Amino acid sequence: MAKRHTAAAAACLLLAGCLVWAGRKRTVTYLPDERAFPNAQIGYAPGVLDSGTEGATLRYLGLTWRQLEPEEGAYAWEAIEQTCHLAELRARGVHLVLRISCDEPGDEAHLDIPDWLYEQTGTGRWYDIAYGKGYAPDYTDLVFFAAHERLLRAVGERLGADGFVSYVELGSLGHWGEWHVKSGEGLPSMPDEAVRDRYAALYREAFPQAALLMRRPFRFAAEHELGLYNDMTGLPEDTEEWLGWIACGGWYEGDPEGLVPMPDAWQTAPIGGELTSRLSMEQLLTTDLSRTVSLIRQSHMSFLGPKTAETAFREGYDAVLAALGYRLRVTEASLRRVTGGTVLTLTFTNDGTAPFYWDWPVNVYVEEVDGTTVEAQPLALSLPDLLPGGCQTVKTKLAGVPGRWWEEQDRRITLGIVDPMTGRDAVRFAMQTAQEDGRTVLFAGE
């Protein structure tokens, strides 16, 4: 590991805020870092084959059933993993947003379910509508449902066991997996709530480690504390209607109470989606940038993808990125010498619009000047409970801090949050101090 520059780090700390040393106690206050930057589990989630989104820690993987299981019981894992570079993404610490679909309207007549399944069922309907051409399956077909249960179990075992898939947008039903069908143009309506809930339950069983998101605030989402997603983000009429459903509930498929209020859902489950395709990037990110950012903040969104902001509109790109998800920082840190070591007290806050939803380990490290970790102490910090505007204060005792270490310049104290998938520190704190190798410098020798 490269040698650390502790003097430079100390200078950064002095610039970051107020450093006070009195007797046996030393205190540092830190200013917020308001710049936009990608961070673990939040931000832009471009498609796995897209380029141009800088440093994205999330990637969107959208797969049709036809792509996943071309032959009954034979899954195309090798082709998918090679084409989508999944091993490389996992090694880099990138996580996935996953959606599985059975019906994606297109320019030509086609199937998004496998041929073998169509031959076993064939109870759906071919269509040529305003959305495009395709085939709408009969989701009430028992053969279709049983095969779908096997599919989700297989995908969960392959991709969901180690936390690689962070978010699953419940798809499967309706056009693009969005749980709606263009029934006004002659297609059968979506199945009733009991059938829909059976599909949703399959996802809960298949992906116990992932955060699950539904397109609308269905009763199932409320009862099981699922997240929500909006594929029309930035379009005011659609997004305001979606926010209205979340606030008040609403009508769905003939049921006046098919959607239920979930105004506080974002406090315990993530909100995602993608930017609308109905408005240009110039309108979203320049002309109406303040409106776009306001809608995202009102939604408490953590990620956007696969349609994301374009870097050509730099100001808008950064403004949207900065509005997504948590922004954790330490407001104050103090060291107090005691018998047998030093007590470190840290006060954390969240300047973002959403919590960090995973209970990842938070550690304080004592490091040698060459980067060697001398000591690692876990902090009793509950990340999911640190809501925007809230704060938590925690303490820990460090044995590896010598009495006059700040003069000897031989050690420093850093902070990190470990991604269990990689075992590496992965979260950047939004505070003005040095950040190196996934760790945030709290104190360094002078």
Side-chain angles (χ1 to χ4, degrees):
M1 183 179 296
K3 185 175 181 179
R4 314 276 192 176
H5 299 289
T6 55
C12 290
L13 287 173
L14 287 169
L15 290 172
C18 177
L19 184 152
V20 179
W21 177 260
R24 301 172 62 84
K25 186 175 181 180
R26 189 184 194 203
T27 300
V28 178
T29 58
Y30 306 89
L31 298 177
D33 182 351
E34 297 179 350
R35 293 174 296 174
F37 48 82
N39 217 340
Q41 306 287 60
I42 61 172
Y44 294 126
V48 290
L49 300 181
D50 294 343
S51 60
T53 303
E54 303 164 343
T57 65
L58 294 170
R59 287 281 179 165
Y60 180 94
L61 178 61
L63 295 168
T64 66
W65 193 341
R66 188 177 185 85
Q67 291 171 313
L68 280 163
E69 193 181 7
E71 302 294 333
E72 186 172 9
Y75 301 96
W77 296 128
E78 185 175 346
I80 290 170
E81 292 187 1
Q82 289 183 359
T83 301
C84 301
H85 313 292
L86 298 188
E88 177 187 345
L89 293 175
R90 183 188 270 109
R92 283 167 39 202
V94 174
H95 289 253
L96 296 182
V97 178
L98 175 68
R99 191 191 304 185
I100 297 170
S101 60
C102 303
D103 171 13
E104 297 191 353
D107 295 334
E108 304 292 336
H110 68 287
L111 280 171
D112 291 308
I113 62 172
D115 290 337
W116 61 265
L117 182 61
Y118 176 73
E119 292 169 2
Q120 290 182 19
T121 56
T123 50
R125 181 130 359 135
W126 292 93
Y127 61 80
D128 183 354
I129 58 175
Y131 288 162
K133 300 176 182 179
Y135 176 81
D138 176 6
Y139 303 107
T140 66
D141 187 297
L142 296 181
V143 173
F144 186 95
F145 179 84
H148 196 274
E149 180 177 17
R150 295 191 295 270
L151 171 74
L152 289 187
R153 185 182 303 117
V155 178
E157 290 173 353
R158 184 77 178 198
L159 298 178
D162 64 352
F164 185 34
V165 174
S166 289
Y167 303 97
V168 178
E169 296 177 345
L170 270 66
S172 303
L173 305 183
H175 307 306
W176 301 286
E178 291 189 0
W179 288 47
H180 71 89
V181 175
K182 196 77 166 174
S183 55
E185 295 196 27
L187 294 179
S189 298
M190 283 284 290
D192 63 27
E193 184 177 54
V195 174
R196 299 196 306 266
D197 286 358
R198 290 179 64 200
Y199 279 92
L202 295 182
Y203 276 95
R204 291 189 72 228
E205 294 170 7
F207 297 97
Q209 294 190 43
L212 306 183
L213 291 75
M214 300 189 83
R215 182 65 177 87
R216 293 168 176 78
F218 296 105
R219 273 187 284 265
F220 189 95
E223 291 171 359
H224 298 281
E225 297 186 325
L226 304 191
L228 302 167
Y229 68 92
N230 175 21
D231 282 349
M232 303 300 288
T233 300
L235 189 65
E237 314 90 80
D238 290 58
T239 299
E240 287 165 4
E241 179 184 36
W242 181 76
L243 289 170
W245 295 335
I246 294 172
C248 305
W251 191 286
Y252 180 80
E253 294 291 331
D255 181 354
E257 297 181 350
L259 305 178
V260 301
M262 296 179 61
D264 299 327
W266 66 271
Q267 296 184 12
T268 54
I271 309 297
E274 67 173 336
L275 288 175
T276 179
S277 297
R278 293 189 188 174
L279 299 177
S280 68
M281 281 291 160
E282 183 175 9
Q283 189 167 354
L284 284 168
L285 302 179
T286 302
T287 309
D288 296 321
L289 175 60
S290 60
R291 184 181 69 188
T292 301
V293 171
S294 176
L295 291 172
I296 288 170
R297 289 187 176 277
Q298 289 177 59
S299 303
H300 299 278
M301 301 188 81
S302 285
F303 69 88
L304 283 171
K307 189 172 182 61
T308 67
E310 295 178 3
T311 54
F313 302 89
R314 188 78 238 182
E315 180 183 355
Y317 179 98
D318 286 344
V320 169
L321 180 60
L324 293 170
Y326 64 88
R327 291 185 72 87
L328 305 178
R329 68 182 173 99
V330 174
T331 59
E332 182 178 282
S334 65
L335 290 171
R336 181 170 56 87
R337 292 198 293 268
V338 297
T339 303
T342 301
V343 172
L344 172 65
T345 303
L346 299 173
T347 299
F348 292 85
T349 193
N350 182 355
D351 296 327
T353 58
F356 186 95
Y357 295 98
W358 286 265
D359 198 15
W360 286 6
V362 185
N363 295 325
V364 167
Y365 305 96
V366 179
E367 300 178 357
E368 297 283 8
V369 69
D370 64 357
T372 302
T373 298
V374 175
E375 180 180 0
Q377 291 290 344
L379 292 181
L381 178 68
S382 176
L383 293 173
D385 292 334
L386 191 52
L387 297 180
C391 66
Q392 291 184 40
T393 298
V394 295
K395 296 182 179 182
T396 189
K397 185 175 180 180
L398 303 173
V401 179
R404 304 188 68 81
W405 64 276
W406 65 93
E407 294 179 354
E408 298 165 6
Q409 300 184 23
D410 60 351
R411 290 189 180 178
R412 68 181 188 176
I413 301 172
T414 62
L415 174 69
I417 299 177
V418 178
D419 179 350
M421 182 182 76
T422 63
R424 301 192 297 265
D425 296 282
V427 175
R428 176 173 172 176
F429 284 83
M431 50 197 282
Q432 295 182 32
T433 186
Q435 314 262 348
E436 297 180 18
D437 298 329
R439 297 181 181 179
T440 296
V441 179
L442 297 175
F443 293 94
E446 299 170 5

